[in-house]
Amino acid sequence: MKDRTIDDRTAHDRTTHDRSTHDRPTHDRPTHDRPTHDRSAHDRPEPGPSARDRVDHVTEVFVRHRSLLFTVAYELLGSAADAEDALQETWLRWIAVDPARVRDPRAYLVRIATRQALGHLRALGRRKEAYVGPWLPEPLLTTPDVAEDVELAESVSMAMLLVLETLAPTERAVFVLREVFGLGYEEIAGTVGKNPAAVRQIAHRARAHVAARRPRGAASAEENRRTVEAFRRAVETGDLQDLLAVLAPGVVLLTDGGGVVRAALAPVTGAERVARVLGRLAGAMSLRPARINGDPALTVHRADAPDTVDTVLALRVENGLVTGLYAVRNPDKLSRLHRETPLSRRADRDPLERAVPAAAGRRAPGPT
């Protein structure tokens, strides 16, 4: 009995000691009981950028390049609606990329946009096969600065876009990226899935093809403006002789109604035939100056709907005479004429530094 009491007391003392040790402040505990996770401030990892910061950054980069990317897609497609779709797909791929792995945002975004546009170009080709009447590019109301960039203005003109329509998709992409945007052969090769030597050959063929079909004796901006104004006065007054004086003998009129509105289903050729068609506009229509795809042009308005654009009339001027008339009447192609569309060959701001530093030793995977 005595031994049991001693044992009980011993157990009680041990428990009391353990409890007092546990309740002792941390700085009084034995060293081996102290937590081991405490580190000095310089050992702690720096916090990374928040998800919102990343989204803000990639959005800012995309917005800065948006006009450039739209111009690339539009020159490949000739359709603003399809170019917008290609840009939306480009954005969805860009937002999924780690920007720290992109060494050159401009090159990377142009590559994505080009690939998306090529996909749309092949689908657009199938739609054109079923199109009613001549197919013309979608006209754009452009800002004055487009005309100041002579190479850009020529490349987006209605006449040049129709020449580009005669190229195969890959040829068109190579020509536009090389001749208009000045990309190197290696960069283009990675975009179109060819080796640089093949791209050089494609570029050579495309240049020769375009040179044989592009406008010859292209007018200066001032001569172009004067010719368009003389054409406008002749049509509005119904003066046949004045109209014949400004039309080249072999002038061609193409009218795009898309099967939605009335339009000629075949080209109208010859000055006298074209003049007779245009003579019907006198009194029934008014013509207003506009800058379409970088060139002086006209918008046509019916007398009973003066605020609505019925037709966009773009002119091809060579040696002071109108050699081509492109009348776009399809309402689906006139939906953007209530505002100017910015076109550019460069980013809105083109900083010398990279948009984000590249991670050492890493490259972003190629866009799909």
Side-chain angles (χ1 to χ4, degrees):
M1 185 71 169
K2 181 179 179 180
D3 294 339
R4 180 180 177 183
T5 302
I6 293 173
D7 292 341
D8 290 345
R9 187 183 302 134
T10 302
H12 174 271
D13 292 343
R14 187 182 300 114
T15 303
T16 303
H17 171 77
D18 290 344
R19 186 183 297 117
S20 64
T21 302
H22 177 75
D23 293 338
R24 197 181 301 167
T26 303
H27 62 271
D28 288 335
R29 293 183 192 174
T31 304
H32 63 272
D33 289 336
R34 292 180 186 174
T36 59
H37 59 268
D38 186 27
R39 297 180 181 177
S40 60
H42 68 271
D43 290 333
R44 294 172 187 160
E46 291 292 330
S50 67
R52 181 169 182 174
D53 289 341
R54 177 191 172 279
V55 171
D56 288 346
H57 173 73
V58 297
T59 300
E60 188 273 333
V61 172
F62 186 85
V63 170
R64 195 172 71 234
H65 290 82
R66 193 184 192 287
S67 295
L68 163 68
L69 299 176
F70 177 85
T71 307
V72 171
Y74 176 72
E75 291 206 26
L76 291 178
L77 295 164
S79 164
D82 286 282
E84 290 288 0
D85 288 343
L87 252 64
Q88 179 65 22
E89 293 162 4
T90 301
W91 162 250
L92 293 176
R93 283 160 175 76
W94 172 245
I95 196 68
V97 171
D98 178 4
R101 300 178 64 193
V102 179
R103 304 189 64 162
D104 186 344
R106 178 184 183 272
Y108 194 81
L109 284 166
V110 167
R111 183 186 303 178
I112 301 174
T114 300
R115 290 183 178 179
Q116 303 314 307
L118 282 173
H120 281 270
L121 183 58
R122 295 180 178 97
L124 186 59
R126 292 190 290 271
R127 297 208 307 268
K128 290 175 187 175
E129 293 175 0
Y131 200 78
V132 178
W135 184 95
L136 292 175
E138 184 175 348
L140 299 178
L141 190 64
T142 50
T143 53
D145 62 303
V146 173
E148 295 170 3
D149 186 339
V150 177
E151 290 184 5
L152 175 62
E154 183 192 15
S155 69
V156 298
S157 68
M158 297 290 278
M160 179 57 74
L161 289 175
L162 284 174
V163 172
L164 295 181
E165 284 293 312
T166 63
L167 293 171
T170 300
E171 289 178 329
R172 185 169 183 169
V174 170
F175 180 87
V176 168
L177 294 178
R178 179 63 181 174
E179 301 300 315
V180 181
F181 295 95
L183 271 64
Y185 292 115
E186 292 77 10
E187 191 173 348
I188 297 173
T191 301
V192 300
K194 305 283 186 182
N195 63 59
V199 169
R200 285 179 182 273
Q201 293 179 352
I202 293 171
H204 177 75
R205 289 199 308 269
R207 278 195 297 268
H209 183 95
V210 171
R213 292 163 177 79
R214 75 192 321 158
R216 300 182 184 279
S220 66
E222 180 58 27
E223 185 180 22
N224 205 342
R225 187 194 63 77
R226 289 199 305 267
T227 303
V228 172
E229 178 59 23
F231 173 86
R232 184 188 69 81
R233 288 196 305 268
V235 171
E236 285 197 323
T237 60
D239 190 316
L240 182 61
Q241 292 306 312
D242 284 351
L243 187 54
L244 289 173
V246 78
L247 295 177
V251 63
V252 177
L253 168 63
L254 298 176
T255 309
D256 179 348
V260 180
V261 296
R262 185 176 178 181
L265 298 180
V268 180
T269 306
E272 291 189 3
R273 293 184 62 198
V274 170
R276 284 198 298 270
V277 172
L278 295 174
R280 301 170 192 162
L281 300 180
M285 301 279 188
S286 63
L287 280 67
R288 302 176 191 172
R291 187 165 292 280
I292 300 295
N293 289 50
D295 284 334
L298 300 165
T299 56
V300 182
H301 305 257
R302 294 201 321 265
D304 59 349
D307 296 329
T308 302
V309 176
D310 177 86
T311 305
V312 166
L313 196 56
L315 289 73
R316 173 172 171 169
V317 178
E318 300 176 66
N319 298 317
L321 296 176
V322 178
T323 59
L325 286 163
Y326 313 111
V328 181
R329 304 201 64 219
N330 185 344
D332 293 338
K333 296 186 178 183
L334 304 178
S335 61
R336 296 177 65 95
L337 295 178
H338 62 283
R339 67 183 187 279
E340 293 178 333
T341 298
L343 299 174
S344 178
R345 293 195 293 164
R346 56 187 59 85
D348 290 345
R349 287 185 294 123
D350 204 1
L352 296 177
E353 68 276 9
R354 300 296 187 191
V356 290
R362 293 186 297 170
R363 293 287 184 91
T368 57

